[in-house]
Amino acid sequence: MEEKRWIKERWIWTIILILYVGFIFHNSLTPADESSRQSGGVLRMILGMVQWIGMGGSWITEHLVRKTAHFAEYTVFGGLLGITLRQYPAGDVMRRVFQCWMGVMIPLVDETLQLFTEGRSGQISDVWLDAAGAFTGFLAMGGIYWLLRRRGERSR
């Protein structure tokens, strides 16, 4: 019965990860004018909040919003990838190698897709930014698992 639960969880996390990668790729296939409209809307919302609390927001630009979104999107991806891979029976070394490989390959494919999207361009700097976000997500999930394991050891 326990094995069936693990298999079910493995499939659920794998499907969530695949859907999330689809979301990332969908964002890359959004034409530049629509993507810029979306980023501009987020920028206006952030500037409104910053002004509401009485801070100056002249340093907040659409470029910053876009790069922060890249990093955040891939931090979530890295966390989901870490959770998903923990569901599979692989040695720690192989799991880490695959995690690193996916943490670079998905951003590389993502930026390559942008080469074929109207008004967009793939940027090697975004591959690095996305990979950094993915590795941040890996590290965050690793830290959370470490804390949970340590907490479980203390309660015994």
Side-chain angles (χ1 to χ4, degrees):
M1 189 65 165
E2 185 72 19
E3 180 67 24
K4 283 186 179 185
R5 185 180 72 91
W6 277 105
I7 291 171
K8 183 178 178 182
E9 286 182 23
R10 183 181 304 164
W11 276 103
I12 290 170
W13 283 110
T14 300
I15 290 168
I16 290 170
L17 179 65
I18 290 168
L19 290 172
Y20 193 77
V21 170
F23 167 75
I24 290 171
F25 290 168
H26 175 267
N27 288 341
S28 290
L29 293 169
T30 302
D33 59 343
E34 176 60 27
S35 179
S36 185
R37 202 171 12 260
Q38 291 171 354
S39 296
V42 172
L43 175 61
R44 284 187 297 282
M45 181 183 70
I46 291 170
L47 289 174
M49 289 189 298
V50 167
Q51 289 170 353
W52 182 75
I53 60 174
M55 293 178 60
S58 62
W59 57 274
I60 303 172
T61 64
E62 186 175 332
H63 179 77
L64 179 63
V65 168
R66 287 170 137 340
K67 298 308 171 185
T68 302
H70 265 272
F71 188 83
E73 183 177 62
Y74 274 92
T75 300
V76 172
F77 165 71
L80 287 174
L81 181 59
I83 293 169
T84 302
L85 291 179
R86 288 185 68 84
Q87 308 302 315
Y88 288 87
D92 280 345
V93 172
M94 283 308 297
R95 185 180 296 140
R96 299 298 175 243
V97 168
F98 188 71
Q99 242 178 346
C100 291
W101 184 77
M102 291 292 288
V104 173
M105 290 307 296
I106 296 297
L108 189 59
V109 171
D110 180 31
E111 291 302 310
T112 301
L113 284 173
Q114 291 184 34
L115 296 173
F116 304 101
T117 305
E118 182 183 334
R120 303 284 297 264
S121 64
Q123 304 290 320
I124 192 68
S125 59
D126 283 349
V127 173
W128 285 103
L129 180 64
D130 297 346
F135 290 119
T136 299
F138 297 160
L139 293 175
M141 286 313 304
I144 289 168
Y145 278 120
W146 180 80
L147 287 171
L148 291 173
R149 188 173 42 239
R150 188 167 175 186
R151 183 177 163 194
E153 289 172 2
R154 284 186 182 170
S155 65
R156 289 184 196 170

